[in-house]
């Protein structure tokens, strides 16, 4: 009996969370659409603070991870490709892998861990301290104050971080190929030939979309924080898990759709 | 000013208090009393429009809380939360400025002047540029009162203003409430269970009991202390003694 009760509760909690997220999504969309009409109402300073923390403070870790990613990818693939004497194709593999897929995906995972959890913890703490109630009773929608600036900050931060991950990854790959006596000119020439403008733009657009997802999921988790001792911790965890899952699922959907559209 | 008629208070699926009826008159300090967990904060949450009532009728300044009236009603009330609920990323001055920026329509200089005069009213002009984390709990509550008064509300709700404060700070906060009531003719609804505070500031009070899930007394604090025949009311006012 207990098992059925807990399964039922789990489902109900999940449905309620989905319902709440939809409500926040609706409000966020309305506020975003209203932004050009009333730009003065946008909390620009909150956006800049969130943007600085998400983008600039995240640059060192993203660059480091990108560099290691490129290094490992190049090392592992070069070993296999060398068997066929085509190790110069590592550049093609890296360019396609980083610009189209791994760059945005890995950056989104890092952003979920750094900023998604931070958004959830910030908003969750505000909820526990009754600051969200204070906003509501002042007639100020918490979505406009808290969700919109952070979601937009994550959306704009992601392409910047992704560019750094991709460039650092290419540098990592270059170092490996240099060690394998492949001339730098050949490597960079292959990268430029493979990575066309569409591929780069597509990857960055996907990055912005992932940023929006991570930011929104983090903020939603914060808004749903329970006022218990472990409430903020649970919210931060669910922001990271929810952010990564939503990015992975949407990346899969985008990959399938692109395959059928021949993109 | 605030009227509750046969209100069931609580949350969806959970009635905390049944059939609550009372009226708060303009210009009075009205206290909501009761033991911990009796539902007094729940009643206040209905009064400030955070939660809808489960049954009955609740009006603030003659209006019900609906989606249509919400925006206007929010500007006619001020709320001080138990923790102060100041925004940690803003200075004390910015906290008081926020409602003025959003709703007052005043020019920048006029807004700042008004915010500074509100801070002077609560005797905390020196703390204007400090962050909430840099000031004490009592100061945070006074800043929260200044913020609550920013739009010259008709009624101010105070949730446990004395909670966590030493007797001297608590008494100073009571003096502040009395002075503001006198100078600005504001109505105050105060959630508290601090007896010295109740006797000092409250004109009338409503008392709730968790066990009976309802309002058990209504009147002036002295009348309830001296004249009530209810065992719980007598014990409450005599600090646990019958």
């Amino acid at each position: 009996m207990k098992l059925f009760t807990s399964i039922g509760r789990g489902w109900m909690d999940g449905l309620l969370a989905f319902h709440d997220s939809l409500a926040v999504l609706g409000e966020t969309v309305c506020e975003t659409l209203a932004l050009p009409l009333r730009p003065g109402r946008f909390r620009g300073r909150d956006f800049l603070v969130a943007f600085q923390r998400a983008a600039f403070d995240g640059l060192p870790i993203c660059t480091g991870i990108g560099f290691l990613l490129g290094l490992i990818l190049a090392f592992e693939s070069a070993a296999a490709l060398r068997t066929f004497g085509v190790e110069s194709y590592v550049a093609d593999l890296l360019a396609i892998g980083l610009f189209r897929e791994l760059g945005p995906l890995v950056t989104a995972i890092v952003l979920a861990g750094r900023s998604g959890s931070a958004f959830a913890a910030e908003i969750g703490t505000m909820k526990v301290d009754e600051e969200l109630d204070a906003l509501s009773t002042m007639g100020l929608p918490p979505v406009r104050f808290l969700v919109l600036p952070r979601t937009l900050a994550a959306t704009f931060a992601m392409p910047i971080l992704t560019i750094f991950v991709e460039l650092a990854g290419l540098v990592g790959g270059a170092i490996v190929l240099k060690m394998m006596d492949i001339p730098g000119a050949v490597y960079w020439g292959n990268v430029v030939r493979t990575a066309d403008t569409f591929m780069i733009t597509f990857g960055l657009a996907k990055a912005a979309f992932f940023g929006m997802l991570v930011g929104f999921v983090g903020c939603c988790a914060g808004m749903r924080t329970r006022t218990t001792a472990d409430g903020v911790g649970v919210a931060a965890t669910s922001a990271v898990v929810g952010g990564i899952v939503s990015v992975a699922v949407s990346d899969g959907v985008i990959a399938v759709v692109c395959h059928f559209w021949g993109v | 000013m605030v009227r509750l008629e046969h209100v069931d208070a609580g949350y969806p699926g959970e009635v905390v208090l049944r059939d609550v009826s009372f009226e708060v008159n303009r210009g009075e300090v009205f206290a909501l009393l009761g033991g911990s967990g009796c539902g007094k904060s729940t009643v206040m949450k209905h009064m400030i429009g955070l939660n809808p009532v489960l049954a009955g009728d609740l009006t603030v300044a003659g209006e019900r809380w609906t989606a249509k009236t919400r925006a206007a009603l929010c500007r006619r009330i001020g709320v001080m939360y138990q923790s102060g609920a100041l925004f940690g990323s803003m200075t004390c001055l910015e906290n008081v400025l926020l409602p003025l920026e959003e709703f007052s329509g005043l020019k920048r200089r006029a807004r700042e002047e008004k915010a500074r005069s509100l801070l002077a009213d609560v005797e905390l002009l020196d703390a204007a540029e400090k962050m909430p984390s840099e000031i004490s709990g009592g100061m945070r509550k006074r800043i929260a009162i200044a913020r609550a008064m920013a739009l010259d509300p008709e009624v101010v709700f105070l949730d446990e203003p004395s909670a966590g404060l030493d007797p001297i700070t608590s008494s100073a906060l009571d003096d502040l409430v009395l002075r503001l009531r006198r100078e600005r003719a504001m109505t105050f609804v105060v959630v508290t269970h601090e007896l010295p505070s109740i006797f000092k500031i409250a004109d009338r009070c409503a008392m709730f009991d968790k066990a009976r899930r309802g309002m058990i007394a209504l009147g002036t604090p002295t009348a309830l202390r001296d004249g009530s025949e209810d065992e719980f009311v007598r014990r409450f006012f005599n600090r646990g003694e019958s």
Side-chain angles (χ1 to χ4, degrees), chain A residues 45 129-130 133 137-138 144, chain B residues 81 83 86 94 102-103:
Chain A
R45 202 178 68 172
D129 289 343
E130 298 178 305
D133 287 348
T137 48
M138 277 196 265
R144 173 155 66 86
Chain B
Y81 289 87
S83 62
L86 298 181
E94 288 167 341
E102 292 288 327
F103 301 118

Side-chain angles (χ1 to χ4, degrees), chain B residues 15-33:
Chain B
V15 180
V16 180
L17 295 167
R18 287 187 194 283
D19 199 22
V20 176
S21 299
F22 61 82
E23 187 169 2
V24 181
N25 300 315
R26 190 176 289 272
E28 78 175 340
V29 178
F30 191 93
L32 305 179
L33 313 179

Side-chain angles (χ1 to χ4, degrees), chain A residues 67 85 144 152 189 198 211:
Chain A
F67 177 76
R144 173 155 66 86
L152 285 181
F198 175 79

Side-chain angles (χ1 to χ4, degrees), chain B residues 72-83:
Chain B
L73 264 182
C74 281
R75 279 157 231 177
R76 296 173 73 178
I77 66 164
V79 185
M80 189 216 81
Y81 289 87
Q82 193 171 341
S83 62

